[in-house]
Amino acid sequence: MAEMATGSSTTTIQNSGASLSPSESILTNYPLISAFLAFAIAQSIKFFHLLICRYKERRWDLKQLVGSGGMPSSHSATVAALAMAIGFQGGFGGSLFSIALILACVVMYDATGVRLQAGRQAEVLNQILYELPAEHPLSESRPLRELLGHTPPQVIAGGLLGIVTAVIGHLITILTTSRS
């Protein structure tokens, strides 16, 4: 049990188990670990795709690895894993899961909606810039980034990856706690 002074009153925070140091609580934070792991897996898949493209096309396109877009959506994988892990840990009827689910839906909608459309607009604007005569003041403008959003299959794949990551993490958690 810990007490925190907040203004004129004192708030008591109860810890459900043994007292954990801040580093221990972060290292054992199942939702956080699931989210980071899902992100890392999604980025790894993009890296292997990059290697395959390098082999087939004989060129490197590092923008695919560090930029937005691509298969699977690492943003979708991250928020889906976070929401599922929070649901497994705190219950799917809790308000924390509700917040995580809404966040996941907003991120996934944004990836296929606003960001995807902004990327398509950037393609059109870049084409217009390329067709401008050399003497036009905007002809030397830097091109806009075109890979901003995701297609629905990329978002679905990322979401499924996040869910699978959280489920596997939950199963590992169950197995390790049942052994102790």
Side-chain angles (χ1 to χ4, degrees):
M1 214 170 3
E3 292 186 356
M4 290 176 31
T6 54
S8 61
S9 64
T10 302
T11 306
T12 302
I13 301 172
Q14 292 187 355
N15 194 354
S16 60
S19 179
L20 296 175
S21 71
S23 63
E24 288 178 71
S25 61
I26 287 176
L27 296 176
T28 59
N29 186 325
Y30 161 58
L32 185 63
I33 292 168
S34 292
F36 279 139
L37 191 58
F39 178 82
I41 292 169
Q43 289 300 102
S44 298
I45 291 170
K46 290 179 184 181
F47 178 73
F48 286 115
H49 178 71
L50 179 70
L51 290 177
I52 291 168
C53 287
R54 166 68 177 115
Y55 177 74
K56 287 182 178 179
E57 300 172 10
R58 305 274 187 240
R59 66 178 180 92
W60 285 102
D61 189 5
L62 293 176
K63 290 179 188 175
Q64 289 183 351
L65 185 62
V66 294
S68 299
M71 173 72 88
S73 166
S74 53
H75 292 93
S76 298
T78 303
V79 293
L82 181 66
M84 285 299 292
I86 287 172
F88 283 132
Q89 190 174 54
F92 290 96
S95 43
L96 198 54
F97 172 72
S98 300
I99 293 168
L101 180 63
I102 296 299
L103 172 69
C105 290
V106 167
V107 167
M108 291 181 193
Y109 175 78
D110 180 62
T112 58
V114 176
R115 287 181 30 223
L116 181 63
Q117 294 306 317
R120 289 181 177 162
Q121 287 179 354
E123 286 178 30
V124 171
L125 291 172
N126 285 340
Q127 187 60 40
I128 292 170
L129 281 175
Y130 294 137
E131 294 174 4
L132 288 174
E135 62 273 359
H136 194 281
L138 293 177
S139 65
E140 297 298 319
S141 296
R142 220 177 58 196
L144 300 170
R145 285 184 36 209
E146 295 177 5
L147 278 177
L148 296 175
H150 292 279
T151 62
Q154 292 170 337
V155 170
I156 291 168
L160 290 174
L161 173 64
I163 290 169
V164 168
T165 303
V167 168
I168 291 172
H170 182 65
L171 293 174
I172 291 170
T173 304
I174 290 172
L175 290 175
T176 54
T177 55
S178 67
R179 289 184 182 175
S180 357

